[in-house]
Structure formats: structure tokens, C-alpha cells
Amino acid sequence: MCGIVGYTGPQSAITPIVEGLRRLEYRGYDSAGIALGTNNSLFVEKRAGKLANLEAALPANLPTVHSGIGHTRWATHGGPTDSNAHPHLDNEGKLAVIHNGIIENYSELRKELEARGHAFSSETDTESVAHLLSDLHKEHGGDLTAAMRAAVKRLRGSFTLLAIHADAPQTIVGVRRNSPLVAGIGKGENFLASDVAAFIDYTKRAVELGQDEVVTISPEAITICDLEGRAVALREYEITWDAAAAQKGGFTHFMLKEIFDQPKAIADTLIGRLSDNNQILLDELHMSDDEMRQIKRISVIACGTAYHAGMVAKYAIEKWAKIPVDVEIASEYRYRDPIIDKYCLVIAISQSGETMDLLMAVRHAKAAGARVLAVCNTNSSTIPRESDAVLYTHAGPEIAVASTKAFLTQIVAIYLIGLKLAQVRKQLTEKEVRDLYSQMLELPGKVEQILETIEPLRELTRKFVKNDTILFLGRGIEYPVALEGALKLKELAYIHAEGFAGGELKHGPIALIEEGTAVIAILPPADEHGLDEKMLSNIQEVKARGARVVVIAPEGAEVIGAEHIIRIPVTSSLFQPVLATVPLQVFAYEIAVARGTDVDQPRNLAKSVTVE
């Protein structure tokens, strides 16, 4: 969640640090601060609120400084105040620390440090690390790397830490445990950050950092060691997207740009996945055909929007591959003692690859003997690294906190996994696989078609701006879409919204319907199950009780009882979620804009949730 940036090199450090923090604003934050390594001392400034508050507090005559660290904080221990903002200092004001995550044993550390004479000035868990490092820095003869190694051995929790000391300000030391940190290699300058977006303007060369690895950067070098001081070889990789991809591209908000990015994102995720002889190509699974045939059960684990993608996955995989699929909220998974063995495939879905709830669930599944496959959008993030295999989506950077294109590409990636399993297990013929893949290749064009005709929907949306509650109805595979539509509205517009399975209306939720209640219903395509007829009956039920009903319906489908109809292109029932989701994204976006909320950075939310 928190944004972390470190820089050391020939240029004025304030520029890459503040620019880096600005690029990390999408993660969500409520305060910001910097520590710069001036001669034999540190210059520190920090402010609650947006980054602009910090910039306004910086003196006009700030001296040129060539190294420093910067931070945007999302409050956990202690409220969003100036004193709780990072960096935190030791009592001498010579050592500064910034931190992402949770120090679980901070309370006992604080008592120990206060007993040794340390005075605390904040409510945070982070400040205990600053004082601990200060003592250890002295014990290790001024070696900040050695002090960090010793400090980490004392800490419990999940964290990324960066530290700088006035005695050697050109050196910055960092460490990660269950929380993101990456190094950037420049020319005569080096970087540390919680996300490559922070330094992408300066270098495309990045270095992957592993669990409990301590990294030390100076203008000349990057070195990594483990907690025993043993050198670790640098694992360098190239960043494949550029700064322009993280810009709004002429759109008012990142979210709107990312909604319009979806046709390309889906196409990029699908490209090259079918061979000339009609075989689904997913070498990333690292599973032999025999191993795939031995799978007896699949557990999909995810959080938030990714959980809804997992619910869609259940319908597709069970339909095609005939394997039973459970879908579970990752934060609950390991606390119920799930039944796991080597014949269970666990699919972990995450946009960021750093979601702490999911990471802990992945480790639990692996320890129990399951094979774990990650579906992720962020290269070299923690969850893919700790999984047995990873299928990357190709959505490109998603900056807005509320997920859009990552969600649709997760669904598409899961479709590919389902087709691969079905093909290997002889549940689908080559012709059936080819036909289904061909239908998937039509999805980008159909999403484009929706977006080209979106203006009437934007106008319609404004009629619901003053509603305090909006309900969403779906049946079958459209039920997860209803849940996602409700979640988007909650996230962006702060409106009470709930998604229901249409058949559950009469079991309680219909009591919520009164004159003027807004209901958005998703009409399934006509198929052998007749769910479209069931949904039409649900529409009549709420209409008879005074609801204002908006129906998302395939072109040509007959709809009775709707106040408004939003048409989407015709596709098969299993693929319709990709299309039906798009109008709901636009609906939530437009209501949020009309209500004046912060669309890209909704209150209380963060892009990457790195604490449990």
C-alpha cells in the first residue's frame, strides 16, 4: 500500500524522489514525507494529506542533495498526522527509516527501547525500528547494512524497510519480508522503490529482491546479501512498459483510460495461445499432460475483484474440463483447515502479486502439498515468485485503484486454463477448442463496440446520481458480474450497493424493493437452461414493487418491464461476463464523477493491500 522511493546518484535527489512518489499515488495514501542526506545531517519534512502538502512545505532554498528516501503512508498504527507520517528518526536525528507493512512485535520493542532511554514521538510501529537500528548501527561500528541484518532478525511481521544515515548519506539500505521492494540500475545512480513505476523515467533495468534479502545501494553499486551476510547474486530483468503507458493518454482519469484499454488488453492476453494444430499453448503452467490429468480438484483463491474473476472461472472450468472447482476468499482460506493434497491445483489470482492475504494462502497451500498456479499482472512480484507456475495477464500497468482491465484479463486467462485442461483431459475436441478460442478472439472487437456506443449509457447514468442504494441482479455466470458491478459502485461512488443471485430475491432481498429503488439486471443469453426467462421473471417481480429497472441485455433479446435497456453484442453465455462487465464499469465511473469523488484514488482504499 505505502509508496517507497530511494535515490542515490549525481542529480538533485528531491526530483526523482518526489516524481517517484507521485507515480505511486495510485497505491493510496494519507501522508507523505522525505529524508535527504545533507552534510552530516538529515533534512526531513513530512505532512499529512496529499503529496502537494509536502511539496508546499519544502523550503525554496533547499540545498542540492544527492541522496534520500521518500514515502507515502496509508495509516495503520496511528492516525494520518504529521507526527505519524514517515520518515521516522532516531533521537539523534541522524538515522531515518521508512516502512511499508506491519511490525507485529513493535509494542515489546518499544518497551525495551524506552527502558534504554529512547524517547518516542509518534504512535507508529515504524518508529521502534528507527530506534532499534540506531542502537545496532553503533554496535556494528557504523555499518548500516550489518545493522539492518541484525534488526530484521528481531522483527516479526510483514514489511519493507529503507534506511539512510547522515554519516554515510550516499548509502541507502533496504530489506523486504512479504512486502514489495525492487531496485533500479541507472548510470551512476541507483534506485529503490516499492514499484518500478517510481523510477521508470530513469531506467528500464530492475533487480528482483527475495525474501529477507538486504539490499545496499550507492551511486556506484547495488549489492544484496542474506541475513547472515552471504552475498546474493543480482537477478536483473528488463521493465517492458514505459512511462507513457502509465499516463492518462488524454482521458480525464486513469480509470476511464483503463476501461478503454480493455480491448487491447484482452487481445494481448489471447495472442499466440492456439497452435496451428489447434492446441492451447500454455507452457507457463509447467505441468505435463499426465499431471494435468491427475488433478482431482481445483481451488481458486483471491480477494475483492479477483475473487469475482475466480467465481467466473468456476463456471468455465467445470463446464469444459469437468473438474470440481471451489472458489474461496483468500483471507479466510487458511483459517478453516482446507483439505489439500498433491492432486489439488490451487489457482491464486492477483493483479499486483503482492496481496498479503493471498500470499499467506499460497504459502499454506504449498506447505500442504498442492501445486500453485498464479494468475497475475505484475512481473516478478512476490506471489508469482513463490508459486509453482505463473500465467501473466497482459493488461499493462493499472494505475486506478479500482480494477477494470486487470479483471477482464484475469477472466480471459482463466478461460485459457480451462480450455487447456479440457483439451488435455479429452473433454473437448480440437474443433470445440478451436471454436471456443475463435469466440474469445471476437471479444476485443465486441468490447470495442460497446465502448464506441457508450455515450447514451453515460447520459443515462446521471439519472441515478442521487440514489442512496442500487441493487444488482445476475443469474448463473452473471451472478459474479452483479457482485462486481456492486463492488465498483461502492469503491468509486461510496453508494450502498449489493449484488444478488436473481433466484434469491424471494428469499429475502425483495424486502428492500420500494418505489424508486434502482435495480440493474443482467439478462443471460437464451440457452438450454432458460435462465433468461428466469431473469425476466425477476425483473417483473421488482418492477411490480416500484423499482426503476435497467437491464443489460444481448442485442435482439426481448425485454419487458425495463425502464432502460443497455444492449451488448451477442456471445455465448460463458463469455458474456466479459461484455456485461463493461457497462457496469462505466456506470460506476460516471456516477462517481457526477458525485465528485476521487475516481482514481477512492477513500480508504489502496491498490496493493500488503497487510492482512
Side-chain angles (χ1 to χ4, degrees):
M1 281 176 280
C2 306
I4 284 178
V5 182
Y7 171 81
T8 180
Q11 63 177 299
S12 175
I14 192 68
T15 300
I17 290 173
V18 172
E19 286 180 355
L21 292 178
R22 187 169 290 113
R23 288 203 177 279
L24 298 180
E25 285 187 298
Y26 73 91
R27 299 168 72 92
Y29 70 104
D30 47 42
S31 61
I34 59 169
L36 303 176
T38 57
N39 291 332
N40 297 315
S41 65
L42 297 178
F43 170 85
V44 176
E45 190 62 79
K46 50 187 184 175
R47 287 290 186 271
K50 295 297 184 183
L51 186 59
N53 295 354
L54 172 64
E55 292 181 278
L58 296 175
N61 60 346
L62 185 68
T64 299
V65 179
H66 300 289
S67 63
I69 56 178
H71 189 267
T72 51
R73 174 180 186 252
W74 191 79
T76 52
H77 295 78
T81 64
D82 289 354
S83 60
N84 287 332
H86 299 208
H88 288 285
L89 302 176
D90 65 354
N91 286 151
E92 297 173 357
K94 299 190 74 173
L95 185 148
V97 172
I98 56 179
H99 164 223
N100 178 15
I102 297 288
I103 306 298
E104 293 177 353
N105 60 328
Y106 82 98
S107 182
E108 62 188 71
L109 286 173
R110 180 165 180 151
K111 290 177 183 177
E112 173 189 323
L113 291 159
E114 285 177 331
R116 295 211 298 259
H118 290 271
F120 283 69
S121 59
S122 79
E123 305 167 278
T124 68
D125 53 343
T126 307
E127 191 179 359
S128 62
V129 180
H131 294 294
L132 176 63
L133 266 176
S134 180
D135 283 357
L136 292 170
H137 182 262
K138 293 169 186 171
E139 290 179 20
H140 288 83
D143 186 334
L144 188 57
T145 302
M148 183 66 83
R149 295 202 316 267
V152 172
K153 292 178 182 179
R154 294 286 315 276
L155 303 180
R156 296 197 308 270
S158 303
F159 48 80
T160 293
L161 297 167
L162 256 62
I164 186 171
H165 198 285
D167 289 349
Q170 293 290 91
T171 297
I172 301 170
V173 178
V175 67
R176 64 171 295 272
R177 176 184 291 171
N178 301 330
S179 186
L181 181 63
V182 63
I185 305 174
K187 295 181 179 179
E189 59 185 3
N190 289 304
F191 306 81
L192 288 170
S194 49
D195 190 316
V196 296
F199 54 72
I200 198 168
D201 282 336
Y202 300 95
T203 181
K204 294 289 190 70
R205 298 173 62 197
V207 176
E208 178 183 304
L209 296 171
Q211 201 61 337
D212 281 347
E213 291 182 350
V214 178
V215 56
T216 303
I217 67 168
S218 66
E220 299 81 22
I222 295 177
T223 59
I224 303 173
C225 64
D226 64 18
L227 295 187
E228 304 307 319
R230 294 182 290 260
V232 175
L234 269 60
R235 300 177 294 276
E236 184 178 339
Y237 65 95
E238 182 181 1
I239 304 167
T240 56
W241 49 274
D242 58 23
Q247 301 305 308
K248 295 177 185 175
F251 290 92
T252 309
H253 298 95
F254 280 113
M255 183 176 180
L256 187 59
K257 173 187 179 294
E258 288 158 11
I259 289 172
F260 277 80
D261 281 347
Q262 289 177 127
K264 183 179 185 300
I266 295 168
D268 288 347
T269 301
L270 285 170
I271 193 167
R273 293 301 186 178
L274 189 70
S275 69
D276 292 339
N277 61 343
N278 299 317
Q279 299 298 305
I280 295 293
L281 301 175
L282 290 180
D283 294 340
E284 300 98 318
L285 300 188
H286 299 309
M287 296 178 70
S288 68
D289 288 358
D290 283 343
E291 288 172 323
M292 290 187 212
R293 284 189 281 267
Q294 290 172 8
I295 296 171
K296 294 182 179 178
R297 184 167 59 88
I298 293 174
S299 291
V300 180
I301 51 176
C303 305
T305 287
Y307 173 70
H308 299 152
M311 293 178 72
V312 174
K314 175 180 175 68
Y315 286 89
I317 294 174
E318 289 190 343
K319 172 75 172 179
W320 295 332
K322 310 302 183 196
I323 305 173
V325 178
D326 304 318
V327 186
E328 305 205 36
I329 296 170
S331 58
E332 298 291 330
Y333 181 69
R334 65 191 177 112
Y335 298 109
R336 67 166 188 82
D337 296 324
I339 299 171
I340 308 168
D341 59 30
K342 64 180 181 179
Y343 301 111
C344 177
L345 173 65
V346 172
I347 301 177
I349 309 176
S350 171
Q351 185 281 138
S352 69
E354 302 291 351
T355 305
M356 185 54 56
D357 297 313
L358 185 59
L359 177 59
M360 294 297 102
V362 164
R363 289 176 176 169
H364 183 82
K366 285 196 69 175
R371 181 186 292 270
V372 177
L373 167 63
V375 175
C376 186
N377 191 49
T378 306
N379 189 29
S380 295
S381 51
T382 304
I383 290 169
R385 291 207 309 268
E386 296 201 14
S387 299
D388 297 298
V390 55
L391 179 59
Y392 284 112
T393 56
H394 295 279
E398 190 179 64
I399 305 303
V401 169
S403 182
T404 52
K405 60 180 180 175
F407 174 63
L408 291 194
T409 54
Q410 287 165 355
I411 292 175
V412 170
I414 292 290
Y415 286 156
L416 291 170
I417 294 169
L419 288 179
K420 179 65 175 180
L421 292 172
Q423 189 168 58
V424 169
R425 296 164 69 93
K426 308 294 186 186
Q427 297 297 328
L428 292 176
T429 66
E430 288 187 8
K431 181 182 184 303
E432 288 172 325
V433 169
R434 183 181 67 248
D435 290 347
L436 288 166
Y437 185 77
S438 296
Q439 289 182 53
M440 291 170 66
L441 289 177
E442 295 174 358
L443 292 174
K446 291 180 176 181
V447 172
E448 188 78 52
Q449 183 180 333
I450 295 171
L451 293 172
E452 287 172 352
T453 57
I454 212 70
E455 195 55 42
L457 170 60
R458 300 177 75 170
E459 184 176 344
L460 163 66
T461 299
R462 298 177 190 116
K463 297 179 181 180
F464 294 88
V465 168
K466 294 184 179 179
N467 282 68
D468 294 324
T469 296
I470 298 179
L471 306 181
F472 294 75
L473 299 180
R475 299 203 69 138
I477 200 170
E478 303 300 349
Y479 170 48
V481 177
L483 294 175
E484 176 62 13
L487 178 60
K488 282 293 157 284
L489 199 57
K490 294 172 190 173
E491 290 177 319
L492 298 180
Y494 317 149
I495 291 176
H496 174 255
E498 294 296 335
F500 298 107
E504 285 295 295
L505 265 179
K506 54 188 171 291
H507 298 291
I510 201 166
L512 297 171
I513 305 299
E514 59 186 4
E515 193 69 33
T517 301
V519 175
I520 299 179
I522 306 159
L523 184 67
D527 62 13
E528 70 274 16
H529 299 296
L531 277 180
D532 56 324
E533 296 177 357
K534 303 289 187 185
M535 178 54 74
L536 289 171
S537 296
N538 297 143
I539 292 168
Q540 293 302 321
E541 288 170 353
V542 297
K543 181 69 174 176
R545 289 160 177 81
R548 300 172 61 197
V549 184
V550 177
V551 178
I552 298 173
E555 292 170 349
E558 184 178 358
V559 181
I560 300 173
E563 184 175 322
H564 304 281
I565 302 174
I566 302 167
R567 295 291 183 179
I568 60 175
V570 175
T571 189
S572 67
S573 58
L574 284 180
F575 296 141
Q576 183 169 296
V578 173
L579 306 184
T581 297
V582 178
L584 299 181
Q585 294 170 342
V586 175
F587 186 87
Y589 170 82
E590 290 295 336
I591 287 188
V593 170
R595 290 169 70 98
T597 65
D598 190 340
V599 175
D600 287 335
Q601 297 177 48
R603 68 187 183 197
N604 302 332
L605 299 179
K607 186 66 175 174
S608 179
V609 182
T610 53
V611 296
E612 286 190 275

